[in-house]
Amino acid sequence: MTWRTPSSLKWLIVKHSRLQGEIELLRREADELDAQVVEQRQRLERAERNLLAIETSLGMHEVQVDVCEIAAVIPHVNQPFYRHGD
């Protein structure tokens, strides 16, 4: 005796399978993003420590410089596709 799988049951099985795969993918991507956030926070803390060290050094210099008057230079976020001159 053969059993015929109803189309509605097959649809539910396929839907379950696809959603299960999507959840696994999203979990993997979330773990990667969490790792990137941790790395980014570490880079931020290093940069803040370096800035504090430089501000301390500027404060000890004989020519007084107000660090609040130094304008920030924002680096380029998007790298060019080609090197200069290519």
Side-chain angles (χ1 to χ4, degrees):
M1 175 185 205
T2 59
W3 177 262
R4 183 178 176 281
T5 306
S7 61
S8 58
L9 179 60
K10 182 177 188 240
W11 181 86
L12 286 172
I13 291 170
V14 169
K15 188 71 169 173
H16 179 275
S17 176
R18 289 178 191 267
L19 285 172
Q20 191 174 13
E22 183 179 354
I23 288 172
E24 288 177 17
L25 174 66
L26 290 172
R27 280 191 180 138
R28 198 171 33 229
E29 289 175 350
D31 290 341
E32 291 172 3
L33 289 173
D34 287 341
Q36 287 178 358
V37 166
V38 168
E39 180 182 333
Q40 189 73 9
R41 290 196 192 281
Q42 290 171 348
R43 290 177 57 203
L44 174 62
E45 289 172 1
R46 263 194 317 269
E48 287 174 340
R49 282 194 310 266
N50 290 340
L51 181 63
L52 182 62
I54 289 175
E55 286 177 351
T56 303
S57 298
L58 283 170
M60 292 187 296
H61 200 278
E62 74 180 55
V63 177
Q64 294 298 311
V65 177
D66 186 11
V67 293
C68 295
E69 293 179 4
I70 300 174
V73 176
I74 310 282
H76 293 286
V77 176
N78 298 328
Q79 297 294 325
F81 290 115
Y82 301 104
R83 291 183 307 171
H84 182 70
D86 282 349

Coordinates of all heavy atoms in Angstrom, one line a residue:
M1 N 0.8 -1.2 0.0 CA 0.0 0.0 0.0 C 0.9 1.2 0.0 O 1.8 1.4 0.8 CB -0.9 0.0 1.2 CG -1.7 1.2 1.4 SD -2.5 0.9 3.0 CE -3.9 1.8 2.9
T2 N 0.7 2.1 -0.9 CA 1.4 3.4 -1.0 C 0.6 4.5 -0.4 O -0.6 4.5 -0.4 CB 1.8 3.7 -2.4 OG1 0.6 3.8 -3.2 CG2 2.7 2.6 -3.0
W3 N 1.4 5.4 0.2 CA 0.7 6.5 0.9 C 1.0 7.8 0.0 O 2.1 8.0 -0.3 CB 1.3 6.7 2.3 CG 0.8 7.9 3.0 CD1 1.4 9.1 3.1 CD2 -0.5 8.0 3.7 NE1 0.6 10.0 3.8 CE2 -0.6 9.3 4.2 CE3 -1.5 7.1 3.9 CZ2 -1.6 9.8 4.9 CZ3 -2.6 7.6 4.6 CH2 -2.6 8.9 5.1
R4 N 0.0 8.5 -0.3 CA 0.1 9.7 -1.0 C 0.1 10.9 -0.1 O -0.8 11.0 0.8 CB -1.1 9.9 -2.0 CG -1.0 11.1 -2.9 CD -2.1 11.1 -3.9 NE -2.1 12.3 -4.6 CZ -2.5 13.5 -4.2 NH1 -2.9 13.7 -3.0 NH2 -2.4 14.6 -5.0
T5 N 1.2 11.7 -0.2 CA 1.3 12.8 0.7 C 0.4 14.0 0.2 O 0.5 14.4 -1.0 CB 2.8 13.3 0.8 OG1 3.6 12.2 1.1 CG2 2.9 14.4 1.8
P6 N -0.5 14.4 1.0 CA -1.3 15.5 0.6 C -0.5 16.8 0.3 O 0.5 17.0 0.9 CB -2.3 15.8 1.8 CG -2.2 14.6 2.6 CD -0.8 14.0 2.4
S7 N -1.0 17.5 -0.7 CA -0.2 18.7 -1.1 C -0.1 19.7 0.0 O 1.0 20.4 0.1 CB -0.8 19.3 -2.4 OG -2.1 19.8 -2.1
S8 N -1.1 19.9 0.8 CA -1.0 20.8 1.9 C 0.1 20.4 2.9 O 0.8 21.2 3.5 CB -2.4 20.9 2.6 OG -2.8 19.7 3.1
L9 N 0.2 19.1 3.2 CA 1.2 18.6 4.1 C 2.6 18.8 3.5 O 3.5 19.2 4.2 CB 1.0 17.1 4.4 CG 2.0 16.5 5.3 CD1 2.0 17.2 6.7 CD2 1.7 15.0 5.5
K10 N 2.7 18.5 2.2 CA 4.0 18.8 1.5 C 4.4 20.2 1.6 O 5.6 20.6 1.8 CB 3.9 18.3 0.1 CG 5.3 18.5 -0.6 CD 5.2 18.0 -2.1 CE 6.6 18.0 -2.6 NZ 6.9 18.7 -3.7
W11 N 3.4 21.1 1.4 CA 3.7 22.6 1.5 C 4.2 22.9 2.8 O 5.2 23.7 3.0 CB 2.5 23.3 1.1 CG 2.7 24.8 1.2 CD1 3.1 25.6 0.1 CD2 2.5 25.7 2.3 NE1 3.2 26.9 0.5 CE2 2.8 27.0 1.8 CE3 2.0 25.5 3.6 CZ2 2.7 28.1 2.7 CZ3 2.0 26.6 4.4 CH2 2.3 27.9 4.0
L12 N 3.6 22.4 3.9 CA 4.0 22.7 5.3 C 5.4 22.2 5.5 O 6.3 22.8 6.2 CB 3.0 22.1 6.3 CG 1.7 22.8 6.4 CD1 0.8 22.0 7.3 CD2 1.9 24.2 7.0
I13 N 5.7 21.0 5.0 CA 7.1 20.4 5.2 C 8.1 21.2 4.5 O 9.2 21.5 5.1 CB 7.1 18.9 4.7 CG1 6.2 18.1 5.6 CG2 8.5 18.4 4.6 CD1 6.0 16.7 5.1
V14 N 7.9 21.6 3.3 CA 8.8 22.5 2.5 C 9.0 23.8 3.2 O 10.1 24.3 3.4 CB 8.4 22.6 1.1 CG1 9.2 23.7 0.3 CG2 8.5 21.3 0.4
K15 N 7.9 24.4 3.7 CA 7.9 25.7 4.3 C 8.7 25.6 5.6 O 9.6 26.5 5.9 CB 6.5 26.2 4.6 CG 6.4 27.6 5.2 CD 6.7 28.6 4.1 CE 6.3 29.9 4.6 NZ 6.8 31.0 3.6
H16 N 8.5 24.5 6.4 CA 9.3 24.3 7.6 C 10.8 24.2 7.3 O 11.6 24.8 8.0 CB 8.8 23.0 8.3 CG 9.5 22.7 9.6 ND1 10.7 22.0 9.6 CD2 9.3 23.0 10.8 CE1 11.1 21.9 10.8 NE2 10.3 22.5 11.6
S17 N 11.1 23.4 6.3 CA 12.5 23.2 5.9 C 13.2 24.5 5.5 O 14.3 24.8 5.9 CB 12.6 22.2 4.7 OG 13.9 22.1 4.3
R18 N 12.5 25.3 4.7 CA 13.0 26.6 4.3 C 13.2 27.6 5.4 O 14.2 28.3 5.5 CB 12.2 27.3 3.2 CG 12.2 26.5 1.9 CD 11.3 27.2 0.8 NE 11.2 26.4 -0.3 CZ 11.9 26.5 -1.4 NH1 12.9 27.4 -1.5 NH2 11.7 25.7 -2.4
L19 N 12.2 27.7 6.3 CA 12.3 28.5 7.5 C 13.4 28.1 8.4 O 14.2 28.9 9.0 CB 11.0 28.6 8.2 CG 9.9 29.4 7.5 CD1 8.6 29.3 8.3 CD2 10.3 30.9 7.5
Q20 N 13.6 26.8 8.6 CA 14.7 26.3 9.4 C 16.0 26.6 8.8 O 16.9 27.1 9.6 CB 14.5 24.7 9.5 CG 15.4 24.1 10.6 CD 15.1 22.6 10.7 OE1 14.4 22.0 9.8 NE2 15.6 22.0 11.7
G21 N 16.2 26.5 7.5 CA 17.4 26.9 6.9 C 17.7 28.4 7.0 O 18.8 28.9 7.2
E22 N 16.6 29.2 6.9 CA 16.7 30.7 7.0 C 17.2 31.1 8.4 O 18.0 31.9 8.6 CB 15.4 31.4 6.6 CG 15.5 32.9 6.7 CD 14.2 33.5 6.3 OE1 13.2 32.8 5.9 OE2 14.1 34.8 6.4
I23 N 16.6 30.4 9.4 CA 16.9 30.7 10.8 C 18.4 30.3 11.1 O 19.1 31.1 11.7 CB 16.0 29.9 11.8 CG1 14.6 30.5 11.7 CG2 16.6 29.9 13.2 CD1 13.6 29.8 12.5
E24 N 18.9 29.2 10.6 CA 20.3 28.9 10.7 C 21.2 29.9 10.1 O 22.2 30.3 10.7 CB 20.6 27.5 10.1 CG 20.0 26.3 10.9 CD 20.2 25.0 10.3 OE1 21.1 24.9 9.4 OE2 19.5 24.0 10.6
L25 N 20.8 30.4 8.9 CA 21.6 31.4 8.2 C 21.6 32.7 9.0 O 22.7 33.3 9.2 CB 21.1 31.6 6.8 CG 21.7 32.8 6.0 CD1 23.2 32.5 5.7 CD2 20.9 33.1 4.8
L26 N 20.5 33.1 9.5 CA 20.4 34.4 10.3 C 21.1 34.3 11.6 O 21.8 35.2 12.0 CB 18.9 34.7 10.5 CG 18.1 35.1 9.3 CD1 16.6 35.3 9.6 CD2 18.6 36.4 8.7
R27 N 21.1 33.1 12.2 CA 21.9 32.9 13.5 C 23.4 33.0 13.2 O 24.1 33.7 13.9 CB 21.6 31.6 14.1 CG 20.3 31.6 14.9 CD 20.2 30.3 15.7 NE 18.9 30.4 16.4 CZ 18.1 29.4 16.6 NH1 18.4 28.2 16.0 NH2 17.0 29.5 17.2
R28 N 23.8 32.4 12.1 CA 25.2 32.5 11.7 C 25.7 33.9 11.4 O 26.7 34.4 11.9 CB 25.5 31.6 10.5 CG 26.9 31.2 10.3 CD 27.1 30.2 9.2 NE 26.1 30.2 8.1 CZ 25.4 29.2 7.7 NH1 25.6 28.0 8.2 NH2 24.5 29.4 6.7
E29 N 24.8 34.7 10.7 CA 25.1 36.1 10.4 C 25.1 36.9 11.6 O 25.9 37.8 11.8 CB 24.1 36.6 9.4 CG 24.2 36.1 8.0 CD 23.2 36.5 7.0 OE1 22.1 37.1 7.5 OE2 23.3 36.3 5.8
A30 N 24.2 36.6 12.5 CA 24.1 37.4 13.8 C 25.4 37.2 14.6 O 25.9 38.1 15.2 CB 22.9 37.0 14.6
D31 N 25.9 35.9 14.6 CA 27.1 35.6 15.4 C 28.3 36.4 14.8 O 29.1 36.9 15.5 CB 27.4 34.1 15.4 CG 26.4 33.4 16.2 OD1 25.7 34.0 17.1 OD2 26.3 32.1 16.0
E32 N 28.3 36.4 13.4 CA 29.4 37.2 12.8 C 29.3 38.7 13.1 O 30.3 39.3 13.3 CB 29.4 37.0 11.2 CG 29.7 35.5 10.8 CD 29.5 35.3 9.3 OE1 29.0 36.2 8.6 OE2 29.7 34.2 8.9
L33 N 28.1 39.2 13.1 CA 27.9 40.6 13.4 C 28.3 40.9 14.8 O 28.9 42.0 15.1 CB 26.5 41.1 13.1 CG 26.1 41.1 11.6 CD1 24.6 41.4 11.4 CD2 26.9 42.2 10.9
D34 N 27.9 40.0 15.7 CA 28.3 40.2 17.1 C 29.9 40.3 17.3 O 30.4 41.1 18.0 CB 27.8 39.1 18.0 CG 26.3 39.2 18.2 OD1 25.7 40.3 18.0 OD2 25.7 38.1 18.6
A35 N 30.5 39.4 16.5 CA 32.0 39.4 16.6 C 32.6 40.7 16.0 O 33.5 41.3 16.5 CB 32.6 38.2 15.8
Q36 N 31.9 41.2 15.0 CA 32.4 42.5 14.4 C 32.1 43.6 15.4 O 32.9 44.6 15.4 CB 31.6 42.8 13.1 CG 32.1 41.9 11.9 CD 31.3 42.2 10.7 OE1 30.4 43.0 10.6 NE2 31.6 41.5 9.6
V37 N 31.0 43.6 16.1 CA 30.7 44.6 17.1 C 31.8 44.6 18.2 O 32.3 45.7 18.6 CB 29.3 44.5 17.7 CG1 29.1 45.3 18.9 CG2 28.3 44.8 16.6
V38 N 32.1 43.5 18.7 CA 33.2 43.4 19.7 C 34.5 43.9 19.2 O 35.1 44.7 19.9 CB 33.3 41.9 20.2 CG1 34.6 41.7 21.0 CG2 32.1 41.4 20.9
E39 N 34.9 43.5 18.0 CA 36.1 44.0 17.4 C 36.1 45.6 17.2 O 37.0 46.3 17.5 CB 36.4 43.4 16.0 CG 37.6 43.8 15.4 CD 37.8 43.2 14.0 OE1 37.3 42.1 13.8 OE2 38.4 43.8 13.1
Q40 N 34.9 46.1 16.8 CA 34.8 47.5 16.6 C 34.9 48.3 17.9 O 35.5 49.3 18.0 CB 33.4 47.8 15.9 CG 33.3 49.2 15.4 CD 34.1 49.6 14.2 OE1 34.7 48.7 13.6 NE2 34.2 50.8 13.9
R41 N 34.3 47.7 18.9 CA 34.4 48.4 20.3 C 35.8 48.4 20.8 O 36.2 49.4 21.4 CB 33.4 47.7 21.2 CG 32.0 47.9 21.0 CD 31.1 47.6 22.1 NE 29.7 47.6 21.8 CZ 28.9 48.6 21.6 NH1 29.4 49.8 21.8 NH2 27.6 48.5 21.3
Q42 N 36.5 47.3 20.5 CA 37.9 47.3 20.9 C 38.8 48.3 20.2 O 39.6 49.0 20.8 CB 38.5 45.9 20.7 CG 38.0 44.8 21.6 CD 38.4 43.4 21.2 OE1 38.9 43.2 20.1 NE2 38.2 42.5 22.1
R43 N 38.5 48.5 18.9 CA 39.2 49.5 18.1 C 38.9 50.9 18.6 O 39.7 51.8 18.7 CB 38.8 49.4 16.6 CG 39.4 48.1 16.0 CD 39.0 48.0 14.5 NE 39.3 49.2 13.8 CZ 38.7 49.6 12.7 NH1 37.7 48.9 12.2 NH2 39.1 50.6 12.0
L44 N 37.6 51.1 19.0 CA 37.2 52.4 19.5 C 37.9 52.7 20.9 O 38.3 53.8 21.1 CB 35.6 52.4 19.7 CG 35.0 53.6 20.4 CD1 35.3 54.9 19.6 CD2 33.6 53.4 20.7
E45 N 37.9 51.7 21.7 CA 38.6 51.9 23.0 C 40.1 52.2 22.8 O 40.6 53.1 23.5 CB 38.4 50.7 23.9 CG 37.0 50.5 24.4 CD 36.8 49.2 25.1 OE1 37.7 48.4 25.3 OE2 35.6 48.9 25.6
R46 N 40.7 51.5 21.9 CA 42.2 51.8 21.6 C 42.3 53.2 21.1 O 43.3 53.9 21.5 CB 42.7 50.8 20.6 CG 43.4 49.6 21.1 CD 44.2 48.9 20.1 NE 43.5 48.7 18.8 CZ 42.8 47.6 18.5 NH1 42.6 46.7 19.4 NH2 42.2 47.5 17.3
A47 N 41.5 53.7 20.2 CA 41.6 55.0 19.6 C 41.3 56.0 20.7 O 42.0 57.1 20.8 CB 40.6 55.2 18.5
E48 N 40.4 55.8 21.6 CA 40.1 56.7 22.7 C 41.3 56.8 23.7 O 41.6 57.9 24.1 CB 38.8 56.3 23.5 CG 37.6 56.6 22.7 CD 36.3 56.1 23.3 OE1 36.4 55.2 24.2 OE2 35.2 56.6 23.0
R49 N 41.9 55.7 24.0 CA 43.1 55.7 24.8 C 44.2 56.5 24.2 O 45.0 57.2 24.8 CB 43.6 54.3 25.1 CG 42.7 53.6 26.2 CD 43.4 52.3 26.7 NE 43.9 51.4 25.7 CZ 43.2 50.4 25.2 NH1 42.0 50.1 25.7 NH2 43.7 49.6 24.3
N50 N 44.4 56.3 22.9 CA 45.5 57.0 22.1 C 45.2 58.5 22.1 O 46.1 59.3 22.3 CB 45.6 56.5 20.7 CG 46.2 55.1 20.6 OD1 46.9 54.6 21.6 ND2 46.0 54.4 19.5
L51 N 44.0 58.9 21.9 CA 43.6 60.3 21.9 C 43.9 60.9 23.3 O 44.4 62.0 23.4 CB 42.1 60.5 21.5 CG 41.6 61.9 21.5 CD1 42.4 62.7 20.4 CD2 40.1 61.9 21.2
L52 N 43.5 60.2 24.3 CA 43.7 60.7 25.7 C 45.2 60.9 26.0 O 45.7 61.9 26.6 CB 43.1 59.7 26.7 CG 43.2 60.2 28.2 CD1 42.5 61.5 28.4 CD2 42.7 59.1 29.1
A53 N 46.0 59.9 25.5 CA 47.5 60.0 25.7 C 48.1 61.3 24.9 O 48.9 62.0 25.5 CB 48.2 58.8 25.2
I54 N 47.6 61.5 23.7 CA 48.0 62.7 23.0 C 47.6 64.0 23.6 O 48.3 64.9 23.7 CB 47.6 62.6 21.5 CG1 48.4 61.4 20.8 CG2 47.8 63.9 20.8 CD1 47.9 61.1 19.4
E55 N 46.3 64.0 24.1 CA 45.8 65.2 24.8 C 46.7 65.5 26.0 O 47.0 66.6 26.4 CB 44.4 65.0 25.1 CG 43.5 65.2 23.9 CD 42.0 64.9 24.3 OE1 41.7 64.5 25.4 OE2 41.2 65.2 23.4
T56 N 47.0 64.4 26.7 CA 47.9 64.6 27.9 C 49.2 65.1 27.5 O 49.8 66.0 28.2 CB 48.1 63.2 28.6 OG1 46.8 62.7 29.0 CG2 48.9 63.3 29.9
S57 N 49.8 64.6 26.5 CA 51.1 65.1 26.0 C 51.0 66.6 25.6 O 51.9 67.4 25.8 CB 51.6 64.3 24.8 OG 51.8 62.9 25.2
L58 N 49.9 66.9 24.9 CA 49.7 68.3 24.5 C 49.6 69.2 25.7 O 50.1 70.4 25.7 CB 48.5 68.5 23.6 CG 48.6 68.0 22.2 CD1 47.2 68.0 21.5 CD2 49.6 68.9 21.4
G59 N 49.0 68.7 26.7 CA 48.9 69.5 28.0 C 50.2 69.8 28.7 O 50.4 70.8 29.4
M60 N 51.2 68.9 28.4 CA 52.5 69.1 29.1 C 53.5 69.9 28.2 O 54.6 70.2 28.7 CB 53.1 67.7 29.4 CG 52.4 66.9 30.4 SD 53.2 65.4 30.9 CE 53.1 64.4 29.4
H61 N 53.1 70.2 27.0 CA 54.0 71.0 26.1 C 54.1 72.4 26.6 O 53.1 73.0 27.2 CB 53.4 70.9 24.7 CG 54.5 71.2 23.7 ND1 54.8 72.5 23.4 CD2 55.3 70.4 22.9 CE1 55.8 72.5 22.4 NE2 56.0 71.3 22.1
E62 N 55.2 73.1 26.4 CA 55.4 74.4 26.9 C 54.5 75.4 26.1 O 54.1 76.4 26.6 CB 56.9 74.9 26.8 CG 57.4 75.2 25.4 CD 58.9 75.6 25.5 OE1 59.7 74.9 26.0 OE2 59.1 76.7 24.9
V63 N 54.2 75.1 24.8 CA 53.3 76.0 24.1 C 51.9 75.4 24.3 O 51.6 74.2 23.9 CB 53.6 76.0 22.6 CG1 52.5 76.7 21.8 CG2 55.0 76.5 22.3
Q64 N 51.0 76.1 25.0 CA 49.7 75.6 25.4 C 48.8 75.6 24.1 O 48.7 76.6 23.4 CB 49.1 76.4 26.5 CG 49.9 76.3 27.8 CD 49.9 74.9 28.3 OE1 48.8 74.3 28.4 NE2 51.0 74.4 28.7
V65 N 48.1 74.4 24.0 CA 47.2 74.3 22.9 C 45.9 73.8 23.5 O 45.8 72.9 24.3 CB 47.7 73.2 21.9 CG1 46.6 73.0 20.8 CG2 49.0 73.6 21.3
D66 N 44.8 74.5 23.1 CA 43.5 74.1 23.6 C 43.0 73.0 22.7 O 42.7 73.2 21.5 CB 42.5 75.2 23.6 CG 41.2 74.9 24.2 OD1 41.0 73.8 24.8 OD2 40.2 75.7 24.1
V67 N 42.8 71.7 23.2 CA 42.4 70.6 22.4 C 41.0 70.7 21.9 O 40.6 70.1 20.9 CB 42.6 69.3 23.1 CG1 44.1 69.0 23.4 CG2 41.8 69.2 24.4
C68 N 40.2 71.5 22.5 CA 38.8 71.7 22.0 C 38.8 72.5 20.7 O 37.8 72.4 20.0 CB 38.0 72.5 23.1 SG 37.8 71.6 24.6
E69 N 39.8 73.2 20.4 CA 39.8 74.0 19.2 C 40.4 73.2 18.0 O 40.4 73.8 16.9 CB 40.7 75.3 19.4 CG 40.0 76.3 20.4 CD 40.8 77.5 20.6 OE1 41.9 77.7 19.9 OE2 40.4 78.3 21.5
I70 N 40.9 72.0 18.2 CA 41.4 71.2 17.1 C 40.2 70.5 16.4 O 39.5 69.8 17.0 CB 42.4 70.2 17.7 CG1 43.6 70.9 18.3 CG2 42.9 69.3 16.5 CD1 44.6 69.9 19.0
A71 N 40.1 70.8 15.1 CA 39.0 70.2 14.4 C 39.3 68.8 14.0 O 40.4 68.4 13.7 CB 38.8 71.0 13.1
A72 N 38.3 67.9 14.0 CA 38.4 66.5 13.7 C 38.5 66.4 12.2 O 37.8 67.0 11.4 CB 37.3 65.7 14.2
V73 N 39.4 65.5 11.8 CA 39.5 65.1 10.3 C 38.9 63.7 10.2 O 39.4 62.7 10.8 CB 41.0 65.1 9.9 CG1 41.0 64.6 8.4 CG2 41.6 66.5 10.0
I74 N 37.8 63.6 9.5 CA 37.1 62.3 9.3 C 37.7 61.6 8.2 O 37.8 62.1 7.1 CB 35.6 62.6 9.0 CG1 34.9 63.5 10.0 CG2 34.8 61.2 9.0 CD1 34.6 63.0 11.4
P75 N 38.2 60.3 8.4 CA 38.8 59.6 7.3 C 37.7 59.1 6.3 O 36.5 59.0 6.6 CB 39.4 58.4 8.0 CG 38.6 58.2 9.3 CD 38.2 59.6 9.7
H76 N 38.2 58.8 5.1 CA 37.3 58.3 4.1 C 36.8 56.9 4.5 O 37.6 56.0 4.9 CB 38.0 58.2 2.7 CG 38.4 59.5 2.2 ND1 37.5 60.4 1.6 CD2 39.6 60.2 2.1 CE1 38.1 61.5 1.2 NE2 39.4 61.4 1.5
V77 N 35.5 56.7 4.3 CA 35.0 55.4 4.6 C 35.0 54.5 3.4 O 35.3 53.3 3.5 CB 33.5 55.5 5.2 CG1 32.9 54.2 5.4 CG2 33.5 56.4 6.4
N78 N 34.6 55.0 2.3 CA 34.5 54.2 1.1 C 35.9 54.3 0.3 O 36.3 55.4 -0.1 CB 33.4 54.7 0.1 CG 32.1 54.6 0.8 OD1 31.8 53.6 1.6 ND2 31.2 55.5 0.5
Q79 N 36.5 53.2 0.2 CA 37.8 53.1 -0.5 C 37.5 53.2 -2.0 O 36.5 52.6 -2.5 CB 38.5 51.8 -0.2 CG 38.9 51.7 1.3 CD 39.9 52.7 1.7 OE1 40.8 53.1 0.9 NE2 39.8 53.2 2.9
P80 N 38.4 53.9 -2.8 CA 38.2 54.0 -4.2 C 38.4 52.6 -4.9 O 39.1 51.7 -4.4 CB 39.3 54.9 -4.7 CG 40.3 54.9 -3.6 CD 39.6 54.6 -2.3
F81 N 37.7 52.4 -6.0 CA 37.8 51.1 -6.7 C 39.2 50.9 -7.3 O 39.7 49.8 -7.4 CB 36.8 51.0 -7.8 CG 35.4 50.9 -7.3 CD1 34.5 51.9 -7.5 CD2 35.0 49.8 -6.6 CE1 33.2 51.8 -7.1 CE2 33.7 49.7 -6.1 CZ 32.8 50.7 -6.3
Y82 N 39.9 52.0 -7.7 CA 41.2 52.0 -8.4 C 42.1 52.8 -7.6 O 41.8 53.8 -6.9 CB 41.1 52.5 -9.8 CG 40.1 51.7 -10.7 CD1 38.9 52.3 -11.0 CD2 40.5 50.5 -11.2 CE1 38.0 51.6 -11.8 CE2 39.6 49.8 -12.0 CZ 38.4 50.3 -12.3 OH 37.5 49.6 -13.1
R83 N 43.4 52.5 -7.7 CA 44.4 53.3 -7.0 C 44.6 54.6 -7.8 O 44.2 54.7 -9.0 CB 45.8 52.5 -7.0 CG 45.8 51.3 -6.1 CD 47.1 50.7 -6.1 NE 47.5 50.4 -7.4 CZ 48.7 50.0 -7.8 NH1 49.6 49.8 -6.9 NH2 49.0 49.7 -9.0
H84 N 45.2 55.6 -7.2 CA 45.4 56.8 -7.8 C 46.2 56.7 -9.1 O 47.3 56.1 -9.0 CB 46.0 57.8 -6.8 CG 46.3 59.2 -7.4 ND1 45.2 60.0 -7.7 CD2 47.4 59.8 -7.8 CE1 45.7 61.1 -8.2 NE2 47.0 61.0 -8.3
G85 N 45.7 57.1 -10.2 CA 46.5 57.1 -11.4 C 46.1 55.9 -12.3 O 46.6 55.8 -13.4
D86 N 45.4 54.9 -11.8 CA 45.0 53.7 -12.6 C 43.9 54.1 -13.6 O 43.0 54.8 -13.3 CB 44.6 52.6 -11.7 CG 45.8 51.9 -11.1 OD1 46.9 52.2 -11.5 OD2 45.5 51.0 -10.2

